[in-house]
Amino acid sequence: MLLRKFYAFLLTTICLIPIVTITLSFTSTISFTILLLMVALYVIGCLISYGIPSSVLSDVLTYKLKPKNRKKSALIWHLIFGFNFIFILGLLADPSKLMQEFNHYIADMYGLLIASVLAAFTLWFFDERIREKRSTH
């Protein structure tokens, strides 16, 4: 399972880094190369520290379900974990803003929310594709 998660992590990283970098380059004044390196560090760090453990937990939670139900449930769990990332980050980084200025916090973190849900979906997608390929061979 961990090897499958590692492959899914690599594919997700390869897809997300250019997408996020290009998207941010439209509004950023930072040079593209520096922005690319910053995004790569954030994407890799977040996927290793939060994405992969969340994906493993999703597998544990959906292990006993039938394949069709497991796949849908795994997607739901991945999206929930992706959505919750900004709240966990808020609790770790600035709990007072999260609790006292919730609307401002959500507005400030909207881009990261979209990126984390996109990352969760992409990780789930590649994990499921690798699972399917391995089961047919």
Side-chain angles (χ1 to χ4, degrees):
M1 171 177 58
L2 289 179
L3 188 59
R4 187 182 79 237
K5 298 296 181 189
F6 178 72
Y7 289 144
F9 157 77
L10 285 177
L11 292 168
T12 301
T13 301
I14 290 168
C15 287
L16 281 183
I17 290 172
I19 291 170
V20 173
T21 303
I22 290 168
T23 303
L24 289 176
S25 70
F26 291 116
T27 59
S28 178
T29 58
I30 301 171
S31 76
F32 188 80
T33 306
I34 300 297
L35 187 62
L36 179 68
L37 291 172
M38 288 173 53
V39 168
L41 288 174
Y42 277 102
V43 167
I44 291 168
C46 290
L47 282 176
I48 288 174
S49 64
Y50 185 80
I52 292 175
S54 297
S55 187
V56 169
L57 181 56
S58 169
D59 280 1
V60 169
L61 293 170
T62 61
Y63 178 72
K64 293 186 178 186
L65 298 175
K66 293 178 183 177
K68 188 175 183 180
N69 293 335
R70 188 209 52 77
K71 190 174 182 177
K72 290 176 186 176
S73 294
L75 172 60
I76 291 168
W77 280 114
H78 275 80
L79 294 177
I80 289 169
F81 290 135
F83 184 79
N84 283 331
F85 177 74
I86 65 163
F87 298 107
I88 292 169
L89 189 63
L91 288 172
L92 295 174
D94 194 2
S96 63
K97 185 173 182 180
L98 175 64
M99 300 299 180
Q100 295 171 0
E101 303 171 22
F102 185 76
N103 291 339
H104 293 287
Y105 179 78
I106 295 298
D108 291 345
M109 300 298 274
Y110 186 72
L112 186 58
L113 173 65
I114 299 300
S116 63
V117 171
L118 176 63
F121 176 80
T122 308
L123 187 62
W124 168 83
F125 176 81
F126 285 124
D127 189 35
E128 290 300 322
R129 291 301 156 280
I130 294 166
R131 181 189 299 264
E132 289 171 5
K133 295 289 183 189
R134 289 183 141 193
S135 67
T136 60
H137 290 108

